[in-house]
C-alpha cells in the first residue's frame, strides 16, 4: 500500500470479492456478514493484533455486487482507511447501550431486500465474534430478512490460495526454518524447556517473524505427552526427544510445522518411529493429488505408518493452513472435503511410541496439479542429535 | 501443580467455582456453559496457545454444585488432566458430523433439570466460541431447558482479582518494564519501526514473558496516528514521538501499558500534551476510589486534561485487565459499571495534539480501598529523549 504497509495490491482483493460474490450468487446470499479476524483480513487486508482485546465487535458486509462496507469501532478508522474496502462506517465503541448494532442494521437493511438472505459462517471451524444477545437483536431488527449458513461460501474461496498467498506462506516457512537451525545452540545455552521456548520465539523474531502467535512442544524420554502444552520450567535431559512446533506470522500469513531433536542418541523405538514418520510423509508427498479427499490423505498416512509397524496417532494427521494457524479440511477418517489444486496443507503424521509417548512430524505443502510442492525445507531423515 | 506447571493451587480454583455458584444461585442458573479461552483458563487453569487453531470447540460446564466438567477434544486430554476440573469427557475432534454436541447435550441433560436454565455469556465483551449452527442444535436438543445470559454472573466474579492474580499481573508488568528499559538501545541499533518492534518483543521474552500476545504502536512527528496498527518498515526520524504498547503474558496473566519516547527533543505541543497526560494520570491515581463508576473515572481524566488545555482523545480512557488484554469495564461516558476494591484497571488517558496526531499514556493499577496501587513502574514526568 501507499504508506509501505505490507500486503497485496487492490487486484488481489477485487479477485477475492468477485470469487465470494460468485459463490454468494449460487447460494442465493444477498450479502455476507463477517465478524472474525481472519475473514476481515481476507476481505480487506486489515491486520492488527488488536483482536486480542475482546471489547469490541468488528463487521464487514460484502454486498451481492460492489465493494465491502466496514462497520467498525472508531478506533479502527485510521488503519481501515489504509485497507481495501468501500465505505467505512464507525461508531464510538465500546457502547454498552448499542455497540454497533444500530449502524449494522441500517447498513444491512439498505443492502439486502426485505425478502433477502444474509449469509453468515455458522459451520465447522467458524464462530460468531460478537455478543450472542446482539446477534439476536440484529436478526430481529432485520426480519423478515433471513440469516443462513455461509460457511461453504467462505471456505471454498479461502481454501484455494493465490500465488501471492502461497509466496507469503513460503516466506514464513523459510524464516521459521532459520529459527529451527538455531535450536541446537539454544539448547546448549539453556537447560529448561521454558527458557528454550523463550529463546526459540526470539529466534523466530530475529529471523523476521512479525510476531509469534503459536509455539508448543514438549520433551520426554523417547517421546512427549502432547503437542499443545506450553513449555514448563523443567530441565531437558539426555534421552529426551525435544519437539518444537510453531505458528509464526509474517504479513498475516502463518507457517505451522514442527521439528524434533534427540538429546543424545535416540533409543531404538524412537529411531523406528522417526523412520516410519519420515517415510509416511514421503508417501504422501509422492501420492497426494487434487481430486482426493481429506479422508484419502488420512488413509495414505495411516496405511504408510501401519505398513511400517507403527501405531498412527489418533488425532488429525494434517490440515489446511494460511491466515489462521489451522484451516479446514482435517485429515481424519471422517472429513470428505475434496482437495483442490493450490490448497496449502500440512502433513502431520504422528506415531504413538508407547502410551503417553508420541512423536509427530509436520511439513507444509501446496498441492499442485501434479502433487505436493514443499513450502518447508524437508526435515532430515535421521533425528538430529544434540549433545548436552 | 505436581509437575511444575505454573499456576495456582486447588484452593484458588475452588474459591472461583464457589463464587460463580453463589452468583448462579442468585440468577437462577442451574449450570454455566463456557466456551472461550479466558473463561476456560479461569475455571480450570487450562493454558495453551492452541486456541489459535479455530478447528475445535472446547466446553466447560459448571453445575450448580460440585466441580466443573470439561467436555473437550481428545487432543486436550493430557493437558486438561493436569488442571483443576472434575470429570474430563472427550471426543475425537474435529468431527464434521458431531463435533462434541452429542456429548455436551448428554452432559448438560444430566446436570440440568428439564425445566432448568443454562447460563451462557451473551453480553458485552463476550462471544460464543463454537459454530452457531451447533449452538442451535444444542439448544434444540436440550429443550425445554432454557439458555439465558450469564454475562453478569461471570464478569462480577472475574473482575475482582485475588491477591494471587494481582501478584501475577504485577509480575508481568515488572518484566515488561525491563523490556521498555531496553528501548533506547534497541532504537540505537535499529532504524525502522518494524525492526524496533521485533527487537522489543525479543526483549520482552528475554525479560521472562512466556509469550507476547500483543504489541502495537507508532511513530510520527509530534504524535502518532493510532494505537492499534502493526509496525511498518518505515524509518524512525528525529522529531518523532515513538510509542510502544504491549500485552505480554506470563503464567496466563497480561500486562497492558505503553511508553513514549521522543526521538531528539520534543516540540512544545508534545511537551504540553505529555505534561497534561502525566498530571491527569496523577489526578486519577490520587482520586479514584471504589464506589465510583467507570464513567466517573472517565470524567476524572477528561476534566483533568481539559483543565490543562488539552483535548481528550475520543476513545475509552482505561479498562479492566487480567487474563485477557482488555477486560470490562470501559472508562467512557457511557459505562456505569461500579468500581470495586481489587479490580485491576488501566489508566489510559489520550490527547489529540492535532488532527491525526495523538499521544497516549497508560499505567496499570489495582484499586484498593484507599485508592489505586500502581502495578507498573510510573512513567517519568518528562518524555524520555533518544538521540539518533
Amino acid at each position: 500500500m501507499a504508506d509501505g504497509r505490507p500486503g497485496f495490491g487492490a487486484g488481489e482483493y477485487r479477485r477475492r470479492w468477485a470469487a465470494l460474490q460468485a459463490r454468494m450468487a449460487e447460494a442465493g446470499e444477498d450479502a455476507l456478514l463477517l465478524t472474525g479476524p481472519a475473514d476481515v483480513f481476507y476481505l480487506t487486508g486489515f491486520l492488527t493484533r488488536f483482536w486480542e482485546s475482546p471489547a469490541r465487535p468488528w463487521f464487514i458486509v460484502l454486498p451481492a455486487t460492489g465493494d465491502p462496507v466496514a462497520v467498525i469501532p472508531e478506533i479502527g478508522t485510521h488503519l481501515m482507511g489504509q485497507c481495501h474496502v468501500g465505505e467505512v462506517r464507525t461508531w464510538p465503541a465500546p457502547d454498552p447501550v448499542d455497540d454497533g448494532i444500530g449502524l449494522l442494521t441500517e447498513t444491512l437493511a439498505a443492502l439486502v431486500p426485505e425478502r433477502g438472505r444474509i449469509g453468515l459462517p455458522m459451520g465447522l471451524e467458524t464462530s460468531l465474534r460478537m455478543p450472542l444477545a446482539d446477534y439476536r437483536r440484529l436478526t430481529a431488527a432485520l426480519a423478515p430478512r433471513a440469516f443462513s449458513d455461509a460457511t461453504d461460501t467462505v471456505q471454498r474461496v479461502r481454501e484455494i490460495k493465490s500465488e501471492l498467498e502461497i509466496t507469503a506462506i513460503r516466506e514464513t516457512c523459510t524464516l521459521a526454518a532459520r529459527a529451527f537451525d538455531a535450536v541446537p545452540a539454544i539448547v546448549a545455552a539453556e537447560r529448561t524447556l521454558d527458557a528454550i521456548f523463550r529463546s526459540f520465539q526470539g529466534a523466530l523474531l530475529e529471523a523476521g517473524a512479525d510476531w509469534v502467535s503459536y509455539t508448543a512442544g514438549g520433551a520426554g524420554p523417547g517421546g512427549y505427552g502432547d503437542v499443545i502444552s506450553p513449555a514448563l520450567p523443567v530441565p531437558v535431559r539426555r534421552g529426551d526427544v525435544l519437539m518444537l512446533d510453531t505458528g509464526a506470522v509474517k504479513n498475516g500469513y502463518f507457517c505451522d510445522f514442527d521439528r524434533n531433536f534427540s538429546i543424545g542418541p535416540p533409543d531404538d523405538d524412537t529411531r523406528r518411529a522417526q523412520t516410519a514418520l519420515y517415510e509416511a510423509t514421503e508417501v504422501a508427498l509422492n501420492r497426494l493429488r487434487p481430486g482426493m479427499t481429506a479422508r484419502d490423505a488420512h488413509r495414505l498416512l495411516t496405511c504408510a505408518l501401519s505398513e511400517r509397524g507403527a501405531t498412527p496417532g489418533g488425532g488429525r494427521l494434517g490440515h489446511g493452513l494460511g491466515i489462521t494457524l489451522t484451516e479446514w479440511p482435517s485429515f481424519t477418517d471422517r472429513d470428505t472435503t475434496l482437495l483442490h489444486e493450490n490448497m496449502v496443507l500440512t502433513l502431520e503424521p504422528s506415531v504413538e511410541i508407547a502410551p503417553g509417548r508420541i512423536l509427530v512430524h509436520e511439513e507444509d505443502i501446496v498441492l499442485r496439479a501434479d502433487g505436493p510442492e514443499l513450502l518447508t525445507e524437508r526435515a532430515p531423515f535421521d533425528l538430529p542429535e544434540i549433545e548436552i
Side-chain angles (χ1 to χ4, degrees), chain A residues 13 48 84 119 125 130 139 150 169 205 210 261 268 272 290-291 304 319 333 385:
Chain A
Y13 294 93
T48 169
H84 301 274
E125 310 214 10
M130 66 182 288
T139 53
I169 299 168
L205 291 162
D210 294 330
F261 303 87
D268 287 348
R272 271 191 294 271
H319 53 77
D333 59 5
E385 292 178 32

Side-chain angles (χ1 to χ4, degrees), chain A residues 152-295:
Chain A
D152 200 59
T153 298
V154 175
Q155 292 190 349
R156 295 295 81 75
V157 171
R158 269 186 51 193
E159 69 190 11
I160 310 297
K161 267 57 179 181
S162 69
E163 291 305 321
L164 288 169
E165 294 187 280
I166 292 164
T167 300
I169 299 168
R170 187 186 288 112
E171 194 181 345
T172 310
C173 291
T174 302
L175 76 86
R178 296 207 296 277
F180 278 118
D181 288 343
V183 169
I186 289 171
V187 175
E190 305 285 357
R191 279 294 175 272
T192 61
L193 200 55
D194 62 338
I196 291 168
F197 267 69
R198 272 192 200 100
S199 296
F200 178 60
Q201 292 176 77
L204 287 160
L205 291 162
E206 268 174 48
D210 294 330
W211 52 78
V212 184
S213 286
Y214 184 71
T215 46
Y224 27 85
D226 74 64
V227 293
I228 68 166
S229 291
L232 300 179
V234 293
V236 170
R237 294 200 173 87
R238 239 181 112 80
D240 281 356
V241 179
L242 167 69
M243 185 276 284
L244 298 105
D245 189 2
T246 187
V249 179
K250 190 171 178 69
N251 296 329
Y253 281 81
F254 280 75
C255 66
D256 178 20
F257 65 107
D258 77 353
R259 289 296 179 255
N260 292 277
F261 303 87
S262 183
I263 312 299
D267 63 25
D268 287 348
D269 285 352
T270 307
R271 268 183 222 278
R272 271 191 294 271
Q274 165 75 15
T275 303
L277 287 166
Y278 186 91
E279 291 179 357
T281 304
E282 285 297 301
V283 168
L285 286 172
N286 287 325
R287 296 180 44 197
L288 204 65
R289 290 290 181 281
M292 289 181 173
T293 64
R295 186 159 64 179

